[in-house]
Amino acid sequence: MAADTLNPPQREAIRYLDGPLLVLAGAGSGKTRVITQKIAWLIDECDIAPQKITAITFTNKAAKEMKERAAKLAGNRGEGPSISTFHALGARILRSESRHAGLKPGFSILDASDTGQLFQEMLKDADKLRIRMIQNRISLWKNAVVGPEEAAKIAEDELEAGAAKVYAEYERTLRAYQAVDFDDLIRLPVVLFESHDEVGARWRARIWHLLVDEVQDTNRCQYRLMKHLTGARANFTAVGDDDQSIYGWRGADIGNLKLLRDEYPQLKIIKLEQNYRSTTRILAAANSVIGHNPKLFDKKLWSDKGHGDVVQVVACRDNAHEAEWVTSRLQAHRFEHRGKWSDYAILYRGNHQARAFEEQLRAQKIPYVLSGGQSFFDKAEIKDITSYLRLLANQDDDPAFIRAVTTPKRGIGGTTLEALGQAAGRRHQGLFATIFAPGVETEVPGKPHAALREFGNFINRIEFRAGKEPAGQVLNDLLRAIGYQTWLFGTLDPKEAESRWRNVQDFVEWLTAKGYEENKTLVELAQSVALISMLDKQDGEQDAVQLATLHAAKGLEFRHVFLVGIEEGLLPHRESLDAEKIEEERRLMYVGITRAQMSLTLTWCEKRKQGREVSDREISRFVAEMGDDLKRVGGKSATPAQEDKAAGRAKLAQFRTMLATPK
């Protein structure tokens, strides 16, 4: 959006530099434009050096989009502004200040799978649910900057007391591995800034202005990091929407918006209320629903997109009928409007609802994409290869060592690793270093020790090359040396082996290009591999119907939206019925409604089959909160038949006209 097409509040937000600023950006109100235009304004009009500007967002995709827009607006000025996720910025701070953080520069970043393994080892006798609950509790403590000792003091029940003990052991293990988890990427910089004044001062000196996107999704730790990075000058622009705070379950704290207001008396608040996405009818329904929540800040979206189609609420017999009805309606609507498949989205509360829609779409040969599916980096074959990369970057990374040394199989099994682990424990060092420790051959004797030595020497040779030679060349040689392709085809059926090998080739090709573009060696790329998202790789838009959870759909928009399963027990979820959680469920409904540009259809089931059980269902309370301007189809509260007939006649006349129109 060019500067002359900005509306007055957008223009004011871009030009305001007299202190801390909170931009309350309603759904579809152009918040990304404001951030990118403000970056351009700071560089072009205020003559601020681009490298003195830092913008933080939540996803790699959002950071990439922001970088591209900012580059177009600000032009080629050499080093550009720093635009990254919170986690990428945290990793950069820790790499730069590793000495103060008690870490070596090549520390490892453990992903959810690695940390899950650590918790399973520490809690051998616990069931999966308890392990998950303890892991989640520790993550929430870290997000609140609560250490193990404080956690033990504030534990409220037996589970939390046990979790606090595990937390202390978990932290010792991470330090021994010279590793951090994702929560540490925010927590440790905060601890660093609070314990080393000179470190905080150094980073504040680098940032003339800080821009924070989606501030309503920050947890307490991210909020504190933001405060430390701006200090007393408080030169920041925070952009967010209290009505779209839907991540409380993972630690996001809507109270941070209240803290901003309370802790910065000079805070300027600018509201963006003009919506550029949806019709008036859709916005009226959204405003009506969210109006039932207590408000931190009053805000009402409006649009000049016209009145638009009536919002439909359709009662279906059961979930099979619901999937069938939505699929046939979507197909007919696309035919009538000469649309694209990508104009349509089917949104739901939980992933388990997707299957029936997938089956129907496949049966009708309708292309679709499923978001929230397995990440490329979570595929077994990619984790196999990244375990080698992580080991090259940090030889103390024990989880990476265990995966690499056993994949492909090379005569090293559980008994050998247990003996090596005991030897490492006695020496207080990592597994890899223990391979070469004097006397270890008496503790891990014979062939297993020879196999370990051979593996260790191989990694050392590759590491020597990985710091000097082109990344792609070293990676291809590594794959050939370990015989990964041969192993895949020798252990899997040909079709699966082919699919996995293709993924590995894609990964190698992508990493090779990244190394070339960024002039980085394989070791340098390996250090940040846990933070790299394959979203960077997926540039092509597919013409396909989007299936997504409401959480995954946030930030997206579609011409036509089907919100399905709008029932009590699903939305609001049966486990979210207390006052605070109901407010978040209502915000989730609001997010769903405001994804729609032109038309919105809600469906619910009078009966729902889950497993072998069939239960009677009730329509969600949120539908009544949407106001009276709804067309109800089926069920007891359907819109009167005359209106349906009139609408049907009008549709038929429109259809005949369309057929009669010469092409």
Side-chain angles (χ1 to χ4, degrees):
M1 180 182 268
D4 57 355
T5 61
L6 294 165
N7 65 39
Q10 287 175 329
R11 197 173 295 112
E12 185 185 9
I14 286 162
R15 296 178 180 182
Y16 185 80
L17 293 173
D18 294 335
L21 170 65
L22 172 60
V23 181
L24 284 170
S29 64
K31 70 179 177 65
T32 307
R33 292 177 202 137
V34 166
I35 295 172
T36 52
Q37 290 271 5
K38 185 151 194 170
I39 291 170
W41 171 263
L42 288 168
I43 296 168
D44 291 338
E45 304 299 327
C46 307
D47 210 24
I48 307 299
Q51 62 270 27
K52 287 276 190 180
I53 301 163
T54 294
I56 316 177
T57 185
F58 273 83
T59 65
N60 288 299
K61 189 178 179 183
K64 182 171 182 268
E65 183 188 343
M66 218 174 270
K67 272 182 191 169
E68 286 170 354
R69 288 208 211 175
K72 276 181 193 166
L73 289 167
N76 188 12
R77 308 287 178 87
E79 188 184 347
S82 166
I83 302 175
S84 68
T85 62
F86 268 103
H87 291 95
L89 176 63
R92 196 151 58 90
I93 292 168
L94 287 180
R95 296 246 184 252
S96 175
E97 309 291 348
S98 55
R99 186 171 56 85
H100 292 292
L103 293 163
K104 65 179 189 182
F107 63 82
S108 298
I109 300 167
L110 302 190
D111 65 13
S113 167
D114 298 320
T115 54
Q117 255 180 326
L118 287 182
F119 280 103
Q120 280 174 351
E121 286 167 23
M122 289 187 291
L123 296 159
K124 285 188 175 73
D125 301 325
D127 60 44
K128 282 184 179 176
L129 178 63
R130 186 173 176 83
I131 292 172
R132 201 160 59 243
M133 287 168 74
I134 288 174
Q135 194 173 355
N136 185 53
R137 183 65 263 173
I138 291 170
S139 177
L140 290 173
W141 275 329
K142 285 193 173 196
N143 288 338
V145 204
V146 171
E149 287 180 18
E150 192 185 343
K153 288 175 190 166
I154 63 172
E156 292 183 355
D157 53 31
E158 177 268 332
L159 176 78
E160 289 198 347
K165 287 178 185 170
V166 175
Y167 186 5
E169 186 187 343
Y170 175 56
E171 285 300 286
R172 283 194 296 273
T173 306
L174 287 176
R175 293 295 82 79
Y177 286 3
Q178 279 288 296
V180 299
D181 62 23
F182 262 46
D183 295 324
D184 286 333
L185 293 176
I186 315 296
R187 183 180 71 94
L188 291 178
V190 168
V191 171
L192 200 57
F193 290 158
E194 290 176 358
S195 54
H196 294 81
D197 289 341
E198 75 282 10
V199 173
R202 185 158 54 243
W203 281 86
R204 283 190 290 276
R206 294 179 187 181
I207 300 172
W208 193 89
H209 197 86
L210 179 72
L211 300 103
V212 182
D213 190 17
E214 305 283 18
V215 71
Q216 80 281 350
D217 292 336
T218 54
N219 57 40
R220 198 50 56 92
C221 197
Q222 288 160 333
Y223 177 82
R224 275 165 71 172
L225 180 62
M226 183 181 116
K227 281 190 72 177
H228 284 304
L229 289 171
T230 55
R233 279 177 61 244
N235 217 352
F236 65 78
T237 299
V239 183
D241 182 5
D242 50 327
D243 292 334
Q244 293 189 75
S245 179
I246 58 172
Y247 295 113
W249 50 277
R250 70 178 189 201
D253 190 347
I254 194 172
N256 287 344
L257 288 172
K258 186 173 182 300
L259 274 180
L260 273 178
R261 189 180 61 188
D262 296 346
E263 293 185 351
Y264 295 95
Q266 74 278 40
L267 183 73
K268 169 85 169 173
I269 297 172
I270 296 173
K271 298 175 188 177
L272 304 184
E273 296 171 293
Q274 182 175 358
N275 173 286
Y276 291 92
R277 176 186 298 160
S278 309
T279 62
T280 300
R281 258 176 163 154
I282 290 168
L283 289 185
N287 285 331
S288 183
V289 165
I290 207 65
H292 288 76
N293 269 0
K295 305 292 279 181
L296 263 177
F297 307 97
D298 279 328
K299 181 170 78 307
K300 198 161 190 179
L301 295 182
W302 62 274
S303 164
D304 58 7
K305 293 278 184 189
H307 205 47
D309 294 345
V310 68
V311 175
Q312 283 203 88
V313 181
V314 181
C316 300
R317 289 190 305 277
D318 55 30
N319 25 341
H321 177 225
E322 180 183 45
E324 192 182 313
W325 186 91
V326 168
T327 304
S328 60
R329 179 71 199 114
L330 187 155
Q331 216 171 3
H333 191 278
R334 175 179 170 271
F335 178 75
E336 288 166 23
H337 293 82
R338 301 276 207 268
K340 296 185 296 186
W341 293 119
S342 56
D343 291 340
Y344 296 85
I346 301 171
L347 309 180
Y348 36 78
R349 177 67 173 81
N351 274 312
H352 65 278
Q353 292 168 259
R355 186 176 167 185
F357 294 96
E358 283 196 79
E359 287 169 354
Q360 281 295 327
L361 291 165
R362 283 182 182 218
Q364 299 301 323
K365 297 185 171 51
I366 296 172
Y368 69 89
V369 287
L370 187 69
S371 79
Q374 189 187 35
S375 151
F376 188 84
F377 265 83
D378 286 337
K379 292 181 186 295
E381 59 274 21
I382 303 305
K383 290 182 80 66
D384 288 343
I385 308 309
T386 54
S387 68
Y388 281 87
L389 300 186
R390 283 168 42 193
L391 193 56
L392 293 176
N394 175 14
Q395 293 186 346
D396 294 328
D397 189 338
D398 284 357
F401 168 81
I402 291 166
R403 185 162 192 141
V405 81
T406 55
T407 313
K409 303 290 182 203
R410 47 172 61 84
I412 296 165
T415 308
T416 302
L417 289 173
E418 194 175 337
L420 184 66
Q422 287 168 351
R426 283 189 283 273
R427 290 168 174 78
H428 303 291
Q429 63 187 41
L431 295 174
F432 187 89
T434 306
I435 293 173
F436 301 101
V440 78
E441 62 276 5
T442 61
E443 297 162 83
V444 187
K447 281 185 181 177
H449 178 255
L452 285 169
R453 270 289 174 98
E454 189 181 333
F455 175 77
N457 288 328
F458 166 68
I459 292 296
N460 283 334
R461 287 196 302 274
I462 290 288
E463 186 194 4
F464 178 76
R465 291 181 56 199
K468 300 176 177 180
E469 298 175 24
Q473 188 178 312
V474 180
L475 191 50
N476 276 308
D477 288 350
L478 185 153
L479 286 170
R480 271 193 294 274
I482 66 175
Y484 192 78
Q485 183 182 9
T486 307
W487 177 73
L488 279 181
F489 281 89
T491 53
L492 301 170
D493 68 71
K495 195 174 177 183
E496 188 178 354
E498 183 62 48
S499 169
R500 290 196 185 193
W501 181 242
R502 202 179 307 115
N503 286 337
V504 170
Q505 288 175 305
D506 283 351
F507 177 60
V508 172
E509 191 180 305
W510 174 71
L511 212 53
T512 301
K514 208 164 181 64
Y516 178 75
E517 287 162 13
E518 298 177 11
N519 195 26
K520 284 185 176 175
T521 65
L522 192 58
V523 165
E524 289 169 327
L525 289 171
Q527 287 177 349
S528 60
V529 82
L531 284 172
I532 297 168
S533 165
M534 289 305 285
L535 284 171
D536 296 345
K537 181 173 174 285
Q538 296 163 351
D539 294 326
E541 290 287 323
Q542 294 183 50
D543 185 21
V545 175
Q546 176 76 60
L547 295 184
T549 63
L550 288 165
H551 285 101
K554 185 169 169 286
L556 305 178
E557 57 184 45
F558 307 92
R559 289 176 73 81
H560 311 289
V561 168
F562 292 87
L563 284 183
V564 300
I566 307 302
E567 303 154 20
E568 289 292 307
L570 275 176
L571 187 66
H573 194 272
R574 64 181 180 278
E575 291 173 12
S576 301
L577 299 179
D578 62 53
E580 196 175 307
K581 287 181 177 173
I582 274 285
E583 288 172 19
E584 182 152 322
E585 292 291 297
R586 189 174 280 115
R587 292 194 290 269
L588 197 54
M589 179 74 171
Y590 173 82
V591 165
I593 293 170
T594 54
R595 297 314 91 198
Q597 296 172 309
M598 307 292 291
S599 77
L600 175 66
T601 304
L602 281 64
T603 63
W604 67 285
C605 299
E606 293 173 326
K607 291 184 184 296
R608 184 168 288 275
K609 188 177 181 185
Q610 288 175 296
R612 292 182 180 178
E613 288 183 20
V614 176
S615 57
D616 290 331
R617 313 293 290 186
E618 288 178 29
I619 192 167
S620 169
R621 68 190 72 184
F622 299 147
V623 175
E625 295 176 359
M626 291 171 70
D628 299 325
D629 188 16
L630 305 173
K631 179 185 174 187
R632 294 174 183 259
V633 179
K636 293 168 190 165
S637 56
T639 305
Q642 283 81 0
E643 198 175 312
D644 275 355
K645 282 176 184 172
R649 283 195 296 272
K651 192 70 77 179
L652 185 61
Q654 180 190 357
F655 191 53
R656 281 176 177 153
T657 306
M658 191 174 73
L659 290 175
T661 305
K663 291 183 183 177

